[in-house]
Amino acid sequence: MDLSDLRTRLGAGKLFHAYIVTGGNAETRESAGQLIARAAVCAAPSGAPCGVCRDCVKALRGVHPDIETVDRTAREHTVDSLREVRSRVAVVPNEAARSVFLIRDADAMNVPAQNAMLKIFEEPPAHAVFVLLAENPQRLLETVRSRCETVNLTPAPTRAQSETDDAARAVIDALSRRDDLMLIRALLPVDKLNRETVPAFLESLRRQAVDAFAAGKLTEDTVERLSGTLDKADKMTAVNVSAVHIAAWMLSSLCSEA
Ligand SMILES: [Zn+2]
């Protein structure tokens, strides 16, 4: 499935306790993981992630207290390196209804580490959601895999990815300068994107917005406006609105005069 399919599924409301995200490339796996994390903490009664609630905005800014990312500190994730995660799984979330543990390179968990996680997967607290990003899911124990919902992403075309990243960068640049003319120019190439590349463009905007906010280039207001715009644009993509219409709508939604 692609990110748009995943969003539709999540928006329909069914959320699992544990996911394995595989396929695609490192960037699309990360995007899918973040999408699941936002859906898990979103406060909207339906259609999560809504992109506009306080939880969605905090998640987009990378500062949601109930989303924990676990990076590998050595070649493998060991029991010791996951010990802190295990100690926090039982703790009730701070702000959202759920807490999310996003484990990057989960296929680098050694067997004892996987067995330790398996104990948690067998009786997870109701509020916990685990997202395992794994390039090689066959390295995970069958017992772990069987307790997770697998999200198998379609491969992302690398050349198209760099084009969508460039297009997204131009939009972020225009927003940081609050320059509407630049924004018009930045959104012009979007009409050349197609049904496969528009979702990648929108996700690239999300990723770059997080970085731009962290670097102080975008204000909180702009990030919120962008977040709401992107979520509506995602919904348009899901119902096959053409790229040229999405670009026009994004322009009207993002212009600083609006
Ligand atoms: Zn939300």
Side-chain angles (χ1 to χ4, degrees):
M1 74 176 82
D2 61 18
L3 292 171
S4 181
D5 301 329
L6 176 61
R7 172 176 291 275
T8 306
R9 276 209 203 180
L10 292 168
K14 177 106 178 98
L15 201 70
F16 293 88
H17 269 299
Y19 290 86
I20 293 172
V21 178
T22 186
N25 59 24
E27 283 188 337
T28 53
R29 285 194 297 276
E30 176 73 21
S31 295
Q34 297 289 348
L35 185 62
I36 295 169
R38 287 202 301 279
V41 297
C42 175
S46 65
C50 70
V52 291
C53 73
R54 198 183 62 150
D55 291 298
C56 278
V57 171
K58 279 195 175 179
L60 186 77
R61 284 166 46 197
V63 295
H64 200 294
D66 298 317
I67 299 175
E68 180 171 340
T69 50
V70 183
D71 285 299
R72 160 166 79 131
T73 50
R75 199 171 57 82
E76 291 182 326
H77 285 287
T78 61
V79 173
D80 282 348
S81 66
L82 291 172
R83 188 178 287 147
E84 282 191 35
V85 177
R86 286 199 298 165
S87 69
R88 279 194 293 275
V89 169
V91 179
V92 290
N94 291 294
E95 295 178 10
R98 298 189 185 87
S99 47
V100 183
F101 299 89
L102 181 83
I103 304 175
R104 296 197 177 113
D105 302 315
D107 43 357
M109 284 193 285
N110 64 21
V111 172
Q114 291 191 46
N115 278 320
M117 291 310 289
L118 186 61
K119 287 205 183 76
I120 301 170
F121 291 164
E122 280 167 348
E123 284 176 52
H127 60 257
V129 173
F130 298 91
V131 184
L132 279 55
L133 306 185
E135 184 178 8
N136 300 300
Q138 67 276 13
R139 287 191 194 152
L140 295 169
L141 299 173
E142 174 54 32
T143 42
V144 169
R145 275 183 278 156
S146 68
R147 290 181 188 278
C148 298
E149 171 76 1
T150 297
V151 174
N152 196 356
L153 298 168
T154 43
T158 40
R159 202 178 71 88
Q161 184 68 46
S162 71
E163 278 171 21
T164 52
D165 282 346
D166 287 349
R169 191 170 303 115
V171 172
I172 297 286
D173 245 17
L175 289 175
S176 70
R177 294 174 200 213
R178 295 172 172 275
D179 184 331
D180 287 348
L181 268 178
M182 244 178 104
L183 185 63
I184 293 169
R185 275 200 299 272
L187 283 167
L188 275 178
V190 174
D191 66 5
K192 293 193 187 65
L193 301 180
N194 55 37
R195 173 156 161 62
E196 279 69 47
T197 46
V198 168
F201 166 70
L202 299 175
E203 278 307 317
S204 183
L205 268 175
R206 265 197 191 85
R207 274 200 313 276
Q208 295 193 38
V210 173
D211 296 342
F213 177 78
K217 287 182 190 160
L218 292 183
T219 64
E220 195 165 341
D221 279 357
T222 309
V223 172
E224 277 186 38
R225 197 145 45 100
L226 181 60
S227 173
T229 304
L230 291 174
D231 279 277
K232 281 187 195 154
D234 276 321
K235 283 168 189 152
M236 290 181 181
T237 313
V239 293
N240 286 324
V241 175
S242 72
V244 68
H245 285 104
I246 291 174
W249 180 80
M250 286 179 72
L251 181 63
S252 68
S253 173
L254 290 173
C255 264
S256 56
E257 305 296 320

